[in-house]
Amino acid sequence: MRPVIPESHPRYFSLMTREKLVEGFRKGIVVPEGLIAHGRGEAFDYIFGERTRDFAVRAQRAAVALMLLSRKPVISVNGNAAALVAEELAEFSEVLKVPLEVNVFHWSRERVERIAEFLMEKGCKNVLFAGDAVIEGIEHARRIVDSRGIYSADTVMVMLEDGDRCEILRKSGKKVVAIDLNPLSRTARMADVTVVNNVTRAVPEMVELAREMRRMNREELERIVKEYDNDATLREALKAIASLGASKVP
Ligand code: ATP
Ligand code: MG
């Protein structure tokens, strides 16, 4: 039996998010490990007050600018991301004219196809999942990529990512945009632009930004990227955590 979660519940949104993941798990899109990874993310979200902070607003802007400036950007989607923000990713992909690529740590052909089908059902028109190329240097299944997507991309946007792949993508000369609530993770520290925010807020907010910013000229976009400082973003996120210790416990 599914619990009925009243909208008045103070943790309504967080509980509904969990429900989406559990549903994704039942459909074979999300793996059990994905549920645990979400737990780490939501702990950070709780600490940040479950809202988009200033450092995330700046990173989201720089991330969209970088995607718009890139020659061949791609958005890497795993099971959790599909379960949480498939419709929003469809919109983002459409507005930016950027493909989505299914890329998972716990790989099986069936699971990849299931995620791709789910994304298409939710309106994603440009979904890559051929798995016809390999990124050297990665031992696990994240190495299996699409030759038209991550393999040949100049910028890869990742979410709920593992740090080792992020490092290899960087080493192979690609720019990486990461959405990761943990400012201490290797992914967060490795990426060119780290959006320390929940994907459930970051992606729809980035869709709105993309709608506004696609009208900007290259110089304006280049200035946004040049002025952006990712180390400052991570420092501010850590400061936000540390400052909690200074506030009074209610
Ligand atoms: P790394 O390997 O980069 O050091 P990690 O080992 O902490 O990271 P993983 O399990 O590899 O973490 O990946 C999951 C990451 O996704 C975590 O950093 C977690 O904070 C983050 N995360 C989980 N749920 C969300 C979410 N809803 N929105 C944004 N980030 C999330
Ligand atoms: Mg990890």
Side-chain angles (χ1 to χ4, degrees), residues 37-38 40-41 84 160-163 179-182 185-187 197-199:
H38 181 75
R40 173 140 64 212
L84 292 177
L160 298 121
E161 177 73 7
D162 44 279
I179 305 177
D180 189 337
L181 275 161
N182 177 4
S185 79
R186 283 171 311 137
T187 304
N197 200 5
N198 199 321
V199 293

PDB file of all heavy atoms in Angstrom, residues 37-38 40-41 84 160-163 179-182 185-187 197-199, ligand 1:
ATOM      1  N   ALA A  37      22.255   6.479  -2.694  1.00  0.00           N
ATOM      2  CA  ALA A  37      22.930   7.701  -3.166  1.00  0.00           C
ATOM      3  C   ALA A  37      22.027   8.915  -2.958  1.00  0.00           C
ATOM      4  O   ALA A  37      22.492   9.995  -2.592  1.00  0.00           O
ATOM      5  CB  ALA A  37      23.300   7.561  -4.648  1.00  0.00           C
ATOM      6  N   HIS A  38      20.731   8.723  -3.158  1.00  0.00           N
ATOM      7  CA  HIS A  38      19.795   9.836  -2.943  1.00  0.00           C
ATOM      8  C   HIS A  38      19.798  10.264  -1.476  1.00  0.00           C
ATOM      9  O   HIS A  38      19.696  11.452  -1.169  1.00  0.00           O
ATOM     10  CB  HIS A  38      18.376   9.443  -3.364  1.00  0.00           C
ATOM     11  CG  HIS A  38      17.404  10.556  -3.180  1.00  0.00           C
ATOM     12  ND1 HIS A  38      17.356  11.642  -4.026  1.00  0.00           N
ATOM     13  CD2 HIS A  38      16.476  10.784  -2.218  1.00  0.00           C
ATOM     14  CE1 HIS A  38      16.426  12.479  -3.594  1.00  0.00           C
ATOM     15  NE2 HIS A  38      15.876  11.987  -2.501  1.00  0.00           N
ATOM     16  N   ARG A  40      22.294  10.305   0.550  1.00  0.00           N
ATOM     17  CA  ARG A  40      23.420  11.224   0.794  1.00  0.00           C
ATOM     18  C   ARG A  40      23.067  12.614   0.265  1.00  0.00           C
ATOM     19  O   ARG A  40      23.318  13.613   0.923  1.00  0.00           O
ATOM     20  CB  ARG A  40      24.685  10.705   0.127  1.00  0.00           C
ATOM     21  CG  ARG A  40      25.828  11.696   0.215  1.00  0.00           C
ATOM     22  CD  ARG A  40      27.171  11.072   0.480  1.00  0.00           C
ATOM     23  NE  ARG A  40      27.604  10.199  -0.580  1.00  0.00           N
ATOM     24  CZ  ARG A  40      28.349   9.113  -0.399  1.00  0.00           C
ATOM     25  NH1 ARG A  40      28.744   8.779   0.797  1.00  0.00           N
ATOM     26  NH2 ARG A  40      28.710   8.369  -1.417  1.00  0.00           N
ATOM     27  N   GLY A  41      22.473  12.654  -0.901  1.00  0.00           N
ATOM     28  CA  GLY A  41      22.100  13.946  -1.477  1.00  0.00           C
ATOM     29  C   GLY A  41      21.090  14.688  -0.623  1.00  0.00           C
ATOM     30  O   GLY A  41      21.256  15.868  -0.337  1.00  0.00           O
ATOM     31  N   LEU A  84      13.610  11.222 -11.488  1.00  0.00           N
ATOM     32  CA  LEU A  84      13.274  12.486 -10.812  1.00  0.00           C
ATOM     33  C   LEU A  84      12.882  13.610 -11.755  1.00  0.00           C
ATOM     34  O   LEU A  84      11.996  14.395 -11.442  1.00  0.00           O
ATOM     35  CB  LEU A  84      14.458  12.955  -9.943  1.00  0.00           C
ATOM     36  CG  LEU A  84      14.778  12.098  -8.719  1.00  0.00           C
ATOM     37  CD1 LEU A  84      16.004  12.640  -8.004  1.00  0.00           C
ATOM     38  CD2 LEU A  84      13.596  12.052  -7.757  1.00  0.00           C
ATOM     39  N   LEU A 160      24.356  13.263 -10.262  1.00  0.00           N
ATOM     40  CA  LEU A 160      24.491  12.053  -9.443  1.00  0.00           C
ATOM     41  C   LEU A 160      25.592  11.169 -10.023  1.00  0.00           C
ATOM     42  O   LEU A 160      25.391  10.007 -10.339  1.00  0.00           O
ATOM     43  CB  LEU A 160      23.171  11.286  -9.409  1.00  0.00           C
ATOM     44  CG  LEU A 160      22.034  12.057  -8.790  1.00  0.00           C
ATOM     45  CD1 LEU A 160      20.895  12.215  -9.744  1.00  0.00           C
ATOM     46  CD2 LEU A 160      21.549  11.373  -7.535  1.00  0.00           C
ATOM     47  N   GLU A 161      26.744  11.766 -10.131  1.00  0.00           N
ATOM     48  CA  GLU A 161      27.852  11.146 -10.852  1.00  0.00           C
ATOM     49  C   GLU A 161      28.885  10.578  -9.889  1.00  0.00           C
ATOM     50  O   GLU A 161      28.973  10.983  -8.745  1.00  0.00           O
ATOM     51  CB  GLU A 161      28.497  12.260 -11.695  1.00  0.00           C
ATOM     52  CG  GLU A 161      29.696  11.886 -12.479  1.00  0.00           C
ATOM     53  CD  GLU A 161      29.345  11.023 -13.686  1.00  0.00           C
ATOM     54  OE1 GLU A 161      28.141  10.845 -13.972  1.00  0.00           O
ATOM     55  OE2 GLU A 161      30.277  10.534 -14.316  1.00  0.00           O
ATOM     56  N   ASP A 162      29.684   9.634 -10.386  1.00  0.00           N
ATOM     57  CA  ASP A 162      30.800   9.174  -9.574  1.00  0.00           C
ATOM     58  C   ASP A 162      32.059   9.940  -9.975  1.00  0.00           C
ATOM     59  O   ASP A 162      32.269  10.253 -11.142  1.00  0.00           O
ATOM     60  CB  ASP A 162      31.001   7.662  -9.719  1.00  0.00           C
ATOM     61  CG  ASP A 162      30.899   7.250 -11.159  1.00  0.00           C
ATOM     62  OD1 ASP A 162      29.772   7.099 -11.644  1.00  0.00           O
ATOM     63  OD2 ASP A 162      31.949   7.135 -11.804  1.00  0.00           O
ATOM     64  N   GLY A 163      32.870  10.224  -8.957  1.00  0.00           N
ATOM     65  CA  GLY A 163      34.017  11.108  -9.145  1.00  0.00           C
ATOM     66  C   GLY A 163      35.051  10.606 -10.126  1.00  0.00           C
ATOM     67  O   GLY A 163      35.669  11.391 -10.846  1.00  0.00           O
ATOM     68  N   ILE A 179      25.809  18.515 -11.460  1.00  0.00           N
ATOM     69  CA  ILE A 179      24.819  18.890 -10.444  1.00  0.00           C
ATOM     70  C   ILE A 179      25.024  17.905  -9.309  1.00  0.00           C
ATOM     71  O   ILE A 179      24.844  16.697  -9.485  1.00  0.00           O
ATOM     72  CB  ILE A 179      23.367  18.815 -10.969  1.00  0.00           C
ATOM     73  CG1 ILE A 179      23.197  19.653 -12.237  1.00  0.00           C
ATOM     74  CG2 ILE A 179      22.389  19.271  -9.886  1.00  0.00           C
ATOM     75  CD1 ILE A 179      21.802  19.581 -12.866  1.00  0.00           C
ATOM     76  N   ASP A 180      25.467  18.395  -8.175  1.00  0.00           N
ATOM     77  CA  ASP A 180      25.794  17.506  -7.058  1.00  0.00           C
ATOM     78  C   ASP A 180      25.619  18.259  -5.746  1.00  0.00           C
ATOM     79  O   ASP A 180      26.241  19.312  -5.544  1.00  0.00           O
ATOM     80  CB  ASP A 180      27.248  17.018  -7.221  1.00  0.00           C
ATOM     81  CG  ASP A 180      27.596  15.917  -6.232  1.00  0.00           C
ATOM     82  OD1 ASP A 180      26.944  15.801  -5.178  1.00  0.00           O
ATOM     83  OD2 ASP A 180      28.551  15.172  -6.521  1.00  0.00           O
ATOM     84  N   LEU A 181      24.789  17.727  -4.874  1.00  0.00           N
ATOM     85  CA  LEU A 181      24.516  18.397  -3.602  1.00  0.00           C
ATOM     86  C   LEU A 181      25.674  18.304  -2.615  1.00  0.00           C
ATOM     87  O   LEU A 181      25.688  19.021  -1.620  1.00  0.00           O
ATOM     88  CB  LEU A 181      23.250  17.793  -2.975  1.00  0.00           C
ATOM     89  CG  LEU A 181      21.942  18.406  -3.470  1.00  0.00           C
ATOM     90  CD1 LEU A 181      20.769  17.485  -3.181  1.00  0.00           C
ATOM     91  CD2 LEU A 181      21.708  19.774  -2.843  1.00  0.00           C
ATOM     92  N   ASN A 182      26.613  17.426  -2.869  1.00  0.00           N
ATOM     93  CA  ASN A 182      27.737  17.277  -1.936  1.00  0.00           C
ATOM     94  C   ASN A 182      28.946  18.074  -2.436  1.00  0.00           C
ATOM     95  O   ASN A 182      29.643  17.641  -3.343  1.00  0.00           O
ATOM     96  CB  ASN A 182      28.087  15.784  -1.819  1.00  0.00           C
ATOM     97  CG  ASN A 182      29.282  15.543  -0.923  1.00  0.00           C
ATOM     98  OD1 ASN A 182      29.811  16.473  -0.318  1.00  0.00           O
ATOM     99  ND2 ASN A 182      29.695  14.286  -0.822  1.00  0.00           N
ATOM    100  N   SER A 185      32.276  16.101  -2.662  1.00  0.00           N
ATOM    101  CA  SER A 185      32.487  14.910  -3.494  1.00  0.00           C
ATOM    102  C   SER A 185      33.566  15.184  -4.539  1.00  0.00           C
ATOM    103  O   SER A 185      33.836  16.329  -4.893  1.00  0.00           O
ATOM    104  CB  SER A 185      31.186  14.493  -4.186  1.00  0.00           C
ATOM    105  OG  SER A 185      30.949  15.320  -5.310  1.00  0.00           O
ATOM    106  N   ARG A 186      34.167  14.133  -5.035  1.00  0.00           N
ATOM    107  CA  ARG A 186      35.202  14.317  -6.055  1.00  0.00           C
ATOM    108  C   ARG A 186      34.593  14.906  -7.316  1.00  0.00           C
ATOM    109  O   ARG A 186      35.219  15.719  -7.986  1.00  0.00           O
ATOM    110  CB  ARG A 186      35.901  12.986  -6.347  1.00  0.00           C
ATOM    111  CG  ARG A 186      36.902  12.626  -5.250  1.00  0.00           C
ATOM    112  CD  ARG A 186      37.427  11.248  -5.415  1.00  0.00           C
ATOM    113  NE  ARG A 186      36.321  10.329  -5.621  1.00  0.00           N
ATOM    114  CZ  ARG A 186      36.325   9.346  -6.522  1.00  0.00           C
ATOM    115  NH1 ARG A 186      37.368   9.145  -7.276  1.00  0.00           N
ATOM    116  NH2 ARG A 186      35.282   8.557  -6.643  1.00  0.00           N
ATOM    117  N   THR A 187      33.369  14.503  -7.618  1.00  0.00           N
ATOM    118  CA  THR A 187      32.691  15.074  -8.789  1.00  0.00           C
ATOM    119  C   THR A 187      32.605  16.584  -8.650  1.00  0.00           C
ATOM    120  O   THR A 187      32.966  17.326  -9.571  1.00  0.00           O
ATOM    121  CB  THR A 187      31.261  14.498  -8.916  1.00  0.00           C
ATOM    122  OG1 THR A 187      31.353  13.090  -8.969  1.00  0.00           O
ATOM    123  CG2 THR A 187      30.556  15.025 -10.139  1.00  0.00           C
ATOM    124  N   ASN A 197      23.032  21.871  -5.857  1.00  0.00           N
ATOM    125  CA  ASN A 197      21.585  22.046  -5.741  1.00  0.00           C
ATOM    126  C   ASN A 197      20.926  20.704  -6.038  1.00  0.00           C
ATOM    127  O   ASN A 197      21.530  19.827  -6.669  1.00  0.00           O
ATOM    128  CB  ASN A 197      21.105  23.099  -6.748  1.00  0.00           C
ATOM    129  CG  ASN A 197      19.752  23.695  -6.402  1.00  0.00           C
ATOM    130  OD1 ASN A 197      19.178  23.396  -5.352  1.00  0.00           O
ATOM    131  ND2 ASN A 197      19.234  24.529  -7.285  1.00  0.00           N
ATOM    132  N   ASN A 198      19.679  20.563  -5.610  1.00  0.00           N
ATOM    133  CA  ASN A 198      18.936  19.339  -5.917  1.00  0.00           C
ATOM    134  C   ASN A 198      18.557  19.347  -7.400  1.00  0.00           C
ATOM    135  O   ASN A 198      18.090  20.374  -7.903  1.00  0.00           O
ATOM    136  CB  ASN A 198      17.668  19.298  -5.043  1.00  0.00           C
ATOM    137  CG  ASN A 198      17.098  17.900  -4.936  1.00  0.00           C
ATOM    138  OD1 ASN A 198      17.095  17.145  -5.903  1.00  0.00           O
ATOM    139  ND2 ASN A 198      16.627  17.569  -3.756  1.00  0.00           N
ATOM    140  N   VAL A 199      18.722  18.224  -8.090  1.00  0.00           N
ATOM    141  CA  VAL A 199      18.342  18.179  -9.511  1.00  0.00           C
ATOM    142  C   VAL A 199      16.877  18.588  -9.707  1.00  0.00           C
ATOM    143  O   VAL A 199      16.523  19.153 -10.730  1.00  0.00           O
ATOM    144  CB  VAL A 199      18.573  16.796 -10.182  1.00  0.00           C
ATOM    145  CG1 VAL A 199      20.043  16.468 -10.289  1.00  0.00           C
ATOM    146  CG2 VAL A 199      17.812  15.690  -9.496  1.00  0.00           C
TER     147      VAL A 199
HETATM  148  P1  ATP B   1      32.129  11.063  -5.651  1.00  0.00           P
HETATM  149  O1  ATP B   1      32.325   9.696  -6.231  1.00  0.00           O
HETATM  150  O2  ATP B   1      31.994  12.132  -6.679  1.00  0.00           O
HETATM  151  O3  ATP B   1      33.108  11.433  -4.557  1.00  0.00           O
HETATM  152  P2  ATP B   1      30.029  10.184  -3.859  1.00  0.00           P
HETATM  153  O4  ATP B   1      30.787   8.901  -3.734  1.00  0.00           O
HETATM  154  O5  ATP B   1      29.767  11.032  -2.666  1.00  0.00           O
HETATM  155  O6  ATP B   1      30.669  11.077  -4.970  1.00  0.00           O
HETATM  156  P3  ATP B   1      28.083   8.846  -5.502  1.00  0.00           P
HETATM  157  O7  ATP B   1      27.266   7.819  -4.821  1.00  0.00           O
HETATM  158  O8  ATP B   1      29.234   8.404  -6.342  1.00  0.00           O
HETATM  159  O9  ATP B   1      28.600   9.888  -4.421  1.00  0.00           O
HETATM  160  O10 ATP B   1      27.122   9.802  -6.362  1.00  0.00           O
HETATM  161  C1  ATP B   1      25.959  10.380  -5.865  1.00  0.00           C
HETATM  162  C2  ATP B   1      26.140  11.885  -5.669  1.00  0.00           C
HETATM  163  O11 ATP B   1      24.925  12.518  -6.033  1.00  0.00           O
HETATM  164  C3  ATP B   1      26.396  12.278  -4.208  1.00  0.00           C
HETATM  165  O12 ATP B   1      27.434  13.210  -4.147  1.00  0.00           O
HETATM  166  C4  ATP B   1      25.089  12.900  -3.736  1.00  0.00           C
HETATM  167  O13 ATP B   1      25.314  13.965  -2.829  1.00  0.00           O
HETATM  168  C5  ATP B   1      24.506  13.436  -5.022  1.00  0.00           C
HETATM  169  N1  ATP B   1      23.023  13.472  -5.045  1.00  0.00           N
HETATM  170  C6  ATP B   1      22.160  12.509  -4.628  1.00  0.00           C
HETATM  171  N2  ATP B   1      20.868  12.874  -4.844  1.00  0.00           N
HETATM  172  C7  ATP B   1      20.910  14.099  -5.441  1.00  0.00           C
HETATM  173  C8  ATP B   1      19.924  14.986  -5.940  1.00  0.00           C
HETATM  174  N3  ATP B   1      18.614  14.703  -5.852  1.00  0.00           N
HETATM  175  N4  ATP B   1      20.335  16.149  -6.490  1.00  0.00           N
HETATM  176  C9  ATP B   1      21.649  16.444  -6.585  1.00  0.00           C
HETATM  177  N5  ATP B   1      22.649  15.646  -6.138  1.00  0.00           N
HETATM  178  C10 ATP B   1      22.285  14.484  -5.575  1.00  0.00           C
END
